[in-house]
C-alpha cells in the first residue's frame, strides 16, 4: 500500500476558502492527505505532530533551522500570502533543495487592468468629469477636455518591470505607446527581449507622459522617488503608484497633484486605512483608491491555482514552473510587512 | 503654364485651425489654390464665384442640383463636420462620380480608449471608490471590491461594429475577452473575419458582462434598447453608451442604474448641455461624461489629415481610400443633427 | 405573394461547385431564385430571357450599355473570376448605382502564407538544403548555413500594399521585422495607419533584405522593376514575385539569381505553362512555383462566401462591405488577362 | 584598490569568437579579468591555477566535487554549449548556491522560424513543387495543389512546450490556428496561461493537421513516438521533427512518408552526418535538413549575449534572469550527447 504524501495547509492570514475555488480544492485534495488549520495560525503542536511526515507546506508557518531538521521529507514550501517573510531559514531550504515559492504574479492581471484604466482616467479626465457633472460645473465637448491628452500613442514609462510591469505592458500592446522601463535588477538584454526600452530612472521620468510605479520596496530603495525625481517629470504628466507607498516621498507626490503640476493616482498610502482628516482626501488632480487594485476574488483564486499547479509538479519529482522562487540573492531584501488582511 | 486645381475650404462649424495642424495645412496648400472662408458659412456669392473652377470642396456647403450643375470640375466633396447632411443632391454626385466623403473614423481611437477605461471603471469601481475616499466612507482591500469583477477574460458585447466598435475591439486584443457583436448592417462573414462573433441583439445583451453601444441613430432604430432589452441583461453587468442618446430609452437606462441593477456609463444625453436639475446628475452606479469622448485635439487633427490624404488622391485621378464614402443606400438614413460645436 | 429576387449565376470560367461549399450554396439559394448555367458561358438567349427580371448577376457575363438598358432591376454584378474585365459598360453601372464587385481578397490569405514560407525558405536555404541532401552533397550545421540569414528581425519591403501586402503584413506581426512599403496608389497616411513605413521604390529595394512584389499590372507599370532596380538591392537579398510576371524584367530577374547576386522566388511566369526547355528550370538560387500560390480550395470557397455575403446586403437594400468595388478611376487600368483556368 | 572579479572562459567546443559579437565581447571584458583558452579544452593546469580566485566560469570545464572545493569564490557556471553535461557535481553547486546556467533558448527563434516555414512547405508543397519544375513534370494552378491544405486556420499540435515550442507558438499568433500542446513536465495551468490547450500525446497526434516535435530526449522518453503513435495521426497530416532523432522511431517515420500517409520534415537524424546511401535521401514526402535549423550566427551570438547578461547580474550579487537554470530534478535526466560541432 502506498502512503499518500502529506500536505500541511496553514494559510493564515488568508482563508483556504478564499484562495481555492471548488475545482482547485478538489485538485489539491487529489494530491495527498491534507492537514489543515483554519481561523488563525496553525498551533505549534499540530505543526510538530505532522511536520516529520510532511512533503509540502502551503502557508506561512515559522520554519527555523531546528524545525526544518525535524522535516526530513519536506520538498516544498508555498507561501500563499505572497510575501516572503523572515520566519524561514532560507539557507537550509536552499542547501537541501526545498523549494520556497510564492504565487506572486496572481495579482498582476487585476492590478494591470486597473492601472491602465487609471492611466487613461488621468489622461482623459474621466473621474474629474464625472465629479464635475455631479457638482453641476462641467464643461462640454472640447471645452471639457482642456489639459487632456490622448493616451494611445503617448510615451509610457515603467518603474519596475516585474510581474506587474509585464502584465501592464501586455495590455499596452494595441495602444502604440513607446514604452521605456527602469529596473535595476534586470539586464538590458532582458528588457529589450520583452520589447521595452531599458533606460535610467531619470529618463523614464523625463520622457514619459505617463509613469507607472510598480517597484516593490527593498532595503535600498525607500523614498527613491522624491522631489528631484518629480521635478524631472514634464508638467501635465501622469504618475501612478501601484506598489508600495514607501518607494515615494508621499507628501511631495500629493503636493505635485495639489499644485496641478502632475496628475496622480495612488492605490497605496503610508498608513492604511487613511486617517479621516488626511489631506489626500481633498487633493485635486488625484485619483484615490483604497488598496483595491489587487484584492479581487479572481486574483485570490489564482493564488490557489498557481500553488496547486506547482505542488503537483513537486510531488511528481519535477521542478516547479509557475510560482516565483525565493532567491538567495533577494529573499532578505524585501521590506514588505505581513498583510493584515488583503 | 499649368493652372493649379482650386479647392474651396468652407469648414464651418469647424475652424480650419482646429482641424489642420501645421504640417497638414502645408500639405493642403501644396495641393492647389485654396479659397477659404472662416468665421461662419461661406457666403453664397463667394461659393458661386469659385464653384465653376473648383475641383474639390472641403466643408458642408449646400450643394443642390442647380449648384452642382454650375460645378463642372468638381471631383470631390469632403465633409469635415463628419456627419452627412441632407443639403447635398447626393444622386447627382453619385451619377457624376463626384466623391462625397467624410473622415468619420477620426474620432474612433479617442472614443475607444475612453470607452475601455470607462468599462474597466465600471467593472472595478474606480470612480466610485475615489468618490468614497473623498466622502470618507471607503472600504479597503477586498471589502472595497464588493460587486466588482475582473474585466480581463469577461464577456464583451458590441452593439454596432462600425469605426468605433472596430477601434474598441482592437484595444481589447490583450484582454482575453470573448467578444460578441450585433450589427444589422454587416454580414456574419464580415464580423467573423474581424474576429468577433456575430449574434442577435438579445444574445449580445444576455451573454455579455459589459455592453458597449456604438450604434448611430438611423431612421429605423430610435429607442431600440428599451426596458425589455435592459431586462435581458444580467444584473451587475455594465452598459456603456457612446454614440447617440436617441438609440436607448434614456430614462429607463437611468432607472437601471438607480435601482442598482446595472452599472451605466454615458457620454451622451437626450439634450445637451444637461439641465442643472436633471436627475442623472445624482444617479448612483452611473459614470457621467459631458460629450467629451471624441472631442480631443488629436481627433480633430486627424480629420484634417484624412481629408488631405484623400484630397491628394482625388486630384491625382485616383480613388480615395481613407475617408468613409457616402453610400446611396444609407446616406438618407442617418438622423444626426448638425453639431452646434463639438 | 412576394416574388423572390432573381439571381443570374454565370460563373464561367469558374465552376459554381468550385466556389460554393455546401453551406454557402444553401445561403445563396436562400437569397432568391437562381438561374444558373454551367459548362461554359451562359448562352445569350438565356441571359436575355432573364436579365429584365434579374436583381443580381454573379459572373463575368458581357454587359454592354444596350444589355444594361434591358436590365432595369439589376442592382449588383459580382465578378467571381476576380479580375474586372472590359466587357461591362462600367459608366452606366456607376451612374445607375449598380454595384460592380469582386471578391479579390479571397486569395490573399493563401498567397500570404506561401509568400512568407518562401521568404524564410530563401533566407534559410530550406529548398536548397533538401536538394543538397538528395544529391548527397549537403553540408551540416553551421557549414550548411553559409550565406543564410535570420528572417526574424530583418528588414522587409513590400512593393504593393493591396490585399496581398496587407495579408502578408498581418503574418509578419510576431517576426519583429521593420516593414517598408511602396504603393503609389496609397497615401502615406494610410500606410502609416496600417503600421508600415511609406517609402519610394528605390528605398524599399535598397533597404530591405527581403522584397515581396505584390503589385498588379496596370497600363503604366509594366516592367517597372528592371536592371537598375535590381542593382539597387543589396547582394544576398531575397526577391519574391507573387503578382504578375509583367511587372518585372523577367530575364534580368533570372540573371540576378543565376549569378548569385539575389535569391529569387517566383510563382508567375511570362508565359504559362513554362516551356520545357526554359532556362528558369535549371537556374540556381531560384525557388520555382507553378502559379500555385492562390489556387487552393479554401481560397475558391472564400470567393463564394464573399459573393454571397455582399449579395445578401444588396438584396436587403444595404451597401456591400466585403468585396472590392470597381472604381471609376482604376477599372480601366488593369491589364490582367482573363484566366484560362486557375 | 579593488580587485576585479576573475572570469574563466573555456568555451570549447565552441569558439569565443563564434559566440561573442564585438559589442558583447566588450561588455564581457568590462565585467572583470578574463582568463581564456582557445583551440581546445582549457588545460587542467590553467584551470587549477585560476579556479581559486574565479568568480565565474563560462564553459563546460569538468567540475567534480574536489575541484569545486578549490573554488571558494565561484558564484556561477554558464555552460555555453547549451547542454548540461554529467561532468559537474551539481549537488555541490546547488547546496553552495553556485548558479549553473545555460543560454538554452538562444536557438529557439531561429529554429522556430524554420519550423514554421517547413510546416507551410509541407502543407503547401513548396519544395516538392520546385523539384517538379526542375524535373519538368509540374502541374499548374489548382492541379498543382492536389493534397495541399491551407496552413492558416488549421489545427496545430506541439509535442514539447519548452523554449522551442514557445517560440514557434509566438510566430503562430496571426495564423488563427487552434494550438494543442503535450508536455508532461508542465502543468495544465501553465499551458493554458500561455494560450495553448493542454492535451494528451494521443490527442495532439489525432487532432492536429500539423505536429511539431520539440521534445528533448530524456532517460524516459526515447522512441516514444513509434508506429502506434504515427497511426493515430490523420492521413495527409504533417509531422516535423526538430529536436532529437531519438524521440521517434525513425525508420517508421520514414516509412510513413514513403507510403504517402504523412508529410514529414526532419532536421535531425539518428547518426549525423547521414550515410551516403541512407534511404532517407530518396524518400518522397520528406523535407530533409542537415541539422541546420539552429546553427545560425545570430543564434550563436545570442548565446554570448545571454551569458554576459546573467554574468553581470551574478557579479552584482543579483539572481540571474535570462539563462535556463540547471534544476536538481531534471539535470540528470537529459541524454543529449555533447555536440561535435554545431
Amino acid at each position: 500500500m502506498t502512503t499518500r504524501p502529506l500536505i500541511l495547509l496553514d494559510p493564515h492570514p488568508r482563508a483556504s476558502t478564499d484562495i481555492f475555488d471548488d475545482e482547485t480544492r478538489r485538485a489539491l485534495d487529489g494530491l495527498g492527505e491534507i492537514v489543515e488549520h483554519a481561523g488563525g495560525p496553525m498551533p505549534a503542536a499540530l505543526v510538530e505532530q505532522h511536520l516529520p511526515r510532511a512533503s509540502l507546506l502551503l502557508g506561512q508557518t515559522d520554519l527555523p533551522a531546528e524545525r526544518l531538521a525535524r522535516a526530513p521529507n519536506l520538498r516544498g514550501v508555498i507561501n500563499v500570502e505572497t510575501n516572503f517573510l523572515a520566519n524561514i531559514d532560507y539557507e537550509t531550504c536552499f542547501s537541501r533543495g526545498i523549494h520556497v515559492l510564492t504565487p506572486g504574479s496572481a495579482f498582476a492581471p487585476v492590478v494591470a487592468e486597473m492601472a491602465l484604466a487609471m492611466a487613461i482616467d488621468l489622461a482623459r479626465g474621466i473621474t474629474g468629469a464625472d465629479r464635475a457633472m455631479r457638482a453641476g460645473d462641467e464643461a462640454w465637448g472640447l471645452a471639457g477636455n482642456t489639459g487632456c491628452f490622448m493616451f494611445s500613442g503617448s510615451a509610457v514609462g515603467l518603474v519596475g518591470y516585474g510581474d506587474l510591469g509585464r502584465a501592464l505592458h501586455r495590455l499596452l500592446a494595441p495602444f502604440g505607446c513607446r514604452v521605456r522601463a527602469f529596473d535595476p535588477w534586470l539586464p538590458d538584454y532582458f528588457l529589450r527581449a520583452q520589447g521595452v526600452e531599458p533606460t535610467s530612472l531619470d529618463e523614464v521620468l523625463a520622457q514619459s507622459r505617463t509613469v507607472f510605479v510598480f517597484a516593490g520596496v527593498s532595503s535600498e530603495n525607500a523614498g527613491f522617488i522624491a522631489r528631484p525625481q518629480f521635478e524631472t517629470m514634464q508638467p501635465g504628466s501622469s504618475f501612478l503608484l501601484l506598489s508600495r507607498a514607501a518607494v515615494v516621498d508621499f507628501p511631495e507626490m500629493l503636493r505635485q497633484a495639489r499644485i496641478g503640476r502632475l496628475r496622480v493616482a495612488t492605490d497605496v498610502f503610508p498608513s492604511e486605512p487613511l486617517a479621516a482628516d488626511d489631506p489626500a482626501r481633498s487633493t485635486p488632480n488625484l485619483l484615490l483608491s483604497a488598496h483595491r487594485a489587487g484584492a479581487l476574488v479572481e486574483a485570490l483564486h489564482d493564488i490557489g491555482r498557481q500553488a496547486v499547479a506547482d505542488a503537483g509538479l513537486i510531488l511528481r519529482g519535477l521542478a516547479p514552473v509557475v510560482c516565483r522562487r525565493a532567491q538567495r540573492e533577494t529573499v532578505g531584501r524585501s521590506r514588505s510587512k505581513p498583510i493584515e488582511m488583503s
Side-chain angles (χ1 to χ4, degrees), chain A:
Chain A
M1 206 202 90
T2 324
T3 336
R4 300 181 70 208
L6 191 143
I7 303 171
L8 288 185
L9 179 54
D10 181 19
H12 177 83
R14 301 206 186 275
S16 68
T17 47
D18 281 347
I19 58 177
F20 298 118
D21 59 22
D22 293 348
E23 187 190 350
T24 309
R25 180 63 205 225
R26 276 194 303 274
L28 174 64
D29 291 339
L31 291 178
E33 178 189 345
I34 313 296
V35 172
E36 177 172 2
H37 184 82
M42 187 178 279
L46 197 60
V47 174
E48 293 295 343
Q49 177 189 344
H50 293 286
L51 204 54
R53 268 193 52 215
S55 293
L56 278 180
L57 165 66
L58 272 60
Q60 292 68 247
T61 325
D62 292 339
L63 291 173
E66 53 277 20
R67 254 196 184 164
L68 287 166
R70 293 191 290 273
N73 295 300
L74 194 64
R75 288 152 68 184
V77 178
I78 307 183
N79 172 310
V80 296
E81 197 242 41
T82 68
N83 282 313
F84 291 121
L85 306 174
N87 66 337
I88 295 187
D89 186 311
Y90 289 98
E91 193 44 52
T92 298
C93 293
F94 293 140
S95 69
R96 275 180 47 189
I98 299 170
H99 291 289
V100 187
L101 308 169
T102 197
S105 68
F107 296 103
V110 295
V111 172
E113 69 174 30
M114 188 178 275
L116 174 65
M118 285 175 150
I120 301 176
D121 188 306
L122 294 184
R124 305 292 305 272
I126 295 175
T127 306
D130 172 86
R131 201 182 304 137
M133 285 200 74
R134 294 178 180 280
D137 58 2
E138 78 276 7
W140 290 76
L142 257 182
N145 280 320
T146 314
C148 293
F149 66 94
M150 186 176 174
F151 179 77
S152 303
S154 66
V156 165
L158 308 178
V159 177
Y161 195 74
D163 293 317
L164 296 178
R166 266 163 260 187
L168 187 272
H169 184 211
R170 211 166 297 133
L171 298 183
L172 289 178
F175 284 89
C177 295
R178 180 167 173 180
V179 183
R180 292 177 178 83
F182 165 71
D183 193 317
W185 294 10
L186 295 174
D188 290 358
Y189 174 93
F190 180 90
L191 294 169
R192 280 200 200 97
Q194 299 283 323
V196 294
E197 290 177 50
T199 55
S200 65
L201 175 62
D202 270 2
E203 189 175 338
V204 160
L205 296 172
Q207 300 296 326
S208 304
R209 192 76 194 256
T210 302
V211 172
F212 294 90
V213 179
F214 294 123
V217 201
S218 72
S219 42
E220 286 118 61
N221 72 359
F224 77 99
I225 302 182
R227 183 167 301 185
Q229 285 71 39
F230 284 115
E231 293 294 333
T232 305
M233 292 180 67
Q234 305 160 41
S237 302
S238 302
F239 183 89
L240 295 97
L241 179 61
L242 286 128
S243 50
R244 290 287 179 262
V247 301
V248 306
D249 175 340
F250 206 86
E252 172 64 18
M253 184 183 81
L254 293 185
R255 193 186 71 89
Q256 293 280 342
R258 198 169 52 244
I259 65 176
R261 223 190 138 262
L262 299 179
R263 303 146 202 258
V264 177
T266 187
D267 187 50
V268 289
F269 299 85
S271 139
E272 298 175 5
L274 197 64
D277 61 348
D278 193 288
R281 295 185 183 275
S282 56
T283 302
N285 308 308
L286 179 64
L287 179 52
L288 295 156
S289 178
H291 212 136
R292 305 167 60 250
L296 218 54
V297 171
E298 289 90 336
L300 297 179
H301 284 170
D302 198 46
I303 291 179
R305 278 191 292 267
Q306 291 196 26
V308 171
D310 273 351
L313 289 171
I314 293 172
L315 293 176
R316 287 170 53 206
L318 295 171
V321 298
V322 174
C323 294
R324 187 189 310 150
R325 299 178 177 206
Q327 307 274 3
R328 271 182 168 98
E329 287 86 350
T330 50
V331 75
R333 296 195 184 189
S334 169
R335 275 202 174 164
S336 293
K337 289 163 293 188
I339 56 169
E340 304 297 312
M341 191 58 229
S342 72

